[in-house]
Amino acid sequence: EHMPELNDYKKTSEQLEHLEQLNLLMYKGFRCLFKMFMHKMQFARCFLMNAKTYLQQIRKVDELIDCKQKELESLCQIRLVSSSEKIHEKIEFLQDSIDNHVDQLIDLRTEVMQKIEQLDAPYVALLYKRYFEFKTWEEIADEMNYSQQWVWLTHGEALKRLERILDAPDDRI
């Protein structure tokens, strides 16, 4: 039976280091491509969904981040009693995923805010409270000193006006 020599370990170590460098380069390249893809998808988004669905994306990404953070907390608790390398890898992967979703959320909130800021002030306030602060209809009506019926009707009109903005060509792209 062949006993490994020290040089064999050195070669393996160098190969692993080289693979790690390649993995890092591939990850950075993938992340760059992913961001470019997301930018293109944001352009296409305006044509593939209505205004309400467009606005609801913020809550979906926000909830996804919350779920992943809860999972991360759970794994960190497990890590306290286990030294498994797999847990450490999962924690690192999950943290990277959360970071990516936070970046996505920031970009999405900025993009959506730029769109709704083109509306008149009452529409901006209502849509912001509903889709950025996740307030109920009752809370919005109370804060704006209007009836819930006014809020619902104004929300419908705000969505129609936002739809026109989303359908308009974007000169920046």
Side-chain angles (χ1 to χ4, degrees), residues 54-55 111-120 123-125 127-128 132 162 165:
Y54 176 73
L55 294 167
E111 175 192 331
V112 172
M113 197 65 208
Q114 288 172 346
K115 298 293 184 188
I116 68 172
E117 283 176 341
Q118 297 175 45
L119 300 169
D120 294 332
Y123 301 128
V124 174
L127 293 177
Y128 186 83
F132 282 72
L162 180 60
I165 291 169

Side-chain angles (χ1 to χ4, degrees), residues 50-68:
N50 64 28
K52 189 173 184 178
T53 306
Y54 176 73
L55 294 167
Q56 289 171 334
Q57 294 176 101
I58 294 171
R59 177 173 240 149
K60 288 180 182 178
V61 175
D62 190 70
E63 289 173 348
L64 181 61
I65 291 168
D66 285 345
C67 289
K68 288 189 175 198

Side-chain angles (χ1 to χ4, degrees), residues 61-117:
V61 175
D62 190 70
E63 289 173 348
L64 181 61
I65 291 168
D66 285 345
C67 289
K68 288 189 175 198
Q69 284 176 328
K70 288 176 184 170
E71 175 65 13
L72 182 62
E73 290 169 11
S74 175
L75 288 173
C76 286
Q77 290 298 317
I78 293 171
R79 182 177 61 183
L80 293 175
V81 296
S82 172
S83 60
S84 167
E85 185 61 33
K86 193 169 190 170
I87 290 175
H88 293 291
E89 290 171 6
K90 178 71 174 171
I91 288 171
E92 188 177 317
F93 176 80
L94 201 51
Q95 187 60 59
D96 287 345
S97 178
I98 291 169
D99 291 346
N100 288 334
H101 286 299
V102 168
D103 289 347
Q104 179 187 2
L105 182 61
I106 291 167
D107 292 344
L108 183 59
R109 288 176 65 100
T110 301
E111 175 192 331
V112 172
M113 197 65 208
Q114 288 172 346
K115 298 293 184 188
I116 68 172
E117 283 176 341

Side-chain angles (χ1 to χ4, degrees), residues 119-137:
L119 300 169
D120 294 332
Y123 301 128
V124 174
L126 192 155
L127 293 177
Y128 186 83
K129 290 176 186 300
R130 184 69 178 168
Y131 297 101
F132 282 72
E133 297 178 344
F134 314 125
K135 298 205 172 174
T136 66
W137 298 117

